[in-house]
Structure formats: C-alpha cells, structure tokens
Amino acid sequence: MSEVIFREYAMSSDPARLDRARVHHWLSTDAYWALGRTREKQEAAIAGSLNFGAYDVSSGEQVAYARIVTDCATFAWLCDVYVEPSVRGKGLGTALVAAVRDHLEPHGLRRILLATADAHGVYEKLGFRTLDNPQKWMALGVQ
C-alpha cells in the first residue's frame, strides 16, 4: 500500500515503520482480546501477517494498528485493530480499516472476517455484517 492520508494521519503497510514495542504494549495491556500476550508471540504474529499502521504526520508517532492474516487469494482475517485512546473518536479506526479493505480489494478475496465484542457499528460502516449462517462456522481453541 502506498501511503494513504486521512486528516493529519498517514496510513502505511510498511513493516519498517511499525513501532513494535508500542503495538505490543497496546495489545498486551489494553486490548481485551490480547491481554497478557507476550512480546515473542506478538513478534511472531507480526511476522506472519500484513501489518498496517497509522502515524501522526507531524510527529511520525504511531497512533493505530491493524493486522491481516491472509493467503491473498481467497480469505483474510482482520485482527488486532487498535487506536491509541488519545486519538479515538476522530474516525481514524474507520479510515484505517477502510485502507486495509482497499489494499486487499485487488486480490478478489471471497471473504474478510473479523470478531469484535464492541465495535460492530464501526465495521458496519465499511460493509461488514454479521454472518448469515453462523451455525456453519466452527472454532478450535478458546472461545
């Protein structure tokens, strides 16, 4: 993805720009789905994924993160979407997910899935919807 600008933020998929320590801190201490995640586990997740950051244009500081697990052919899982609390409520999370969606669009994926306990409205603005037949889906592991 070339850099996408939204207001005073630049979004990028350049892995060299990630503030890995900051991402780990956010997720392991403040994200209900990743509390306690080790730095080693986070580094492995980053290594096996497409990673997107949002950065304050003036300071270069990373202010948001999203990760995609995908085969870039048929399927993607959107996860670890996090926006720094100080910049929430400005539409940045929606803009970041839109940039991720647009980055994946040329691949012609059949579906992009995600799970959320509290942000359905954000994702619905971008075309996500609840599953028509959730009874078809199964999971192995912690639910």
Side-chain angles (χ1 to χ4, degrees):
M1 154 200 301
S2 58
E3 197 169 81
V4 174
I5 302 296
F6 171 75
R7 298 185 184 152
E8 65 267 23
Y9 305 104
M11 289 166 277
S12 172
S13 60
D14 180 356
R17 289 188 73 179
L18 290 176
D19 184 337
R20 293 166 178 251
R22 175 173 282 208
V23 169
H24 174 254
H25 175 76
W26 285 337
L27 297 177
S28 67
T29 64
D30 192 41
Y32 66 84
W33 63 91
L35 292 175
R37 185 181 290 171
T38 67
R39 179 71 186 263
E40 294 76 24
K41 185 70 76 175
Q42 183 61 43
E43 289 295 331
I46 288 171
S49 303
L50 293 174
N51 300 275
F52 298 83
Y55 306 88
D56 182 287
V57 171
S58 61
S59 70
E61 179 180 34
Q62 186 169 355
V63 294
Y65 176 74
R67 186 166 68 86
I68 289 282
V69 180
T70 184
D71 59 10
C72 290
T74 63
F75 178 83
W77 177 265
L78 172 62
C79 52
D80 289 346
V81 178
Y82 186 91
V83 177
E84 168 74 35
S86 66
V87 298
R88 290 181 187 163
K90 299 179 179 183
L92 180 57
T94 302
L96 179 59
V97 173
V100 170
R101 178 201 60 200
D102 295 348
H103 178 84
L104 294 171
E105 197 276 328
H107 296 291
L109 303 177
R110 182 170 178 180
R111 85 180 25 97
I112 301 170
L113 291 179
L114 64 87
T116 183
D118 58 359
H120 292 79
V122 171
Y123 298 107
E124 287 169 349
K125 291 181 208 173
L126 298 166
F128 286 87
R129 57 184 172 76
T130 58
L131 295 172
D132 290 335
N133 297 299
Q135 67 277 10
K136 289 183 178 182
W137 293 87
M138 297 179 74
L140 178 63
V142 178
Q143 302 234 356

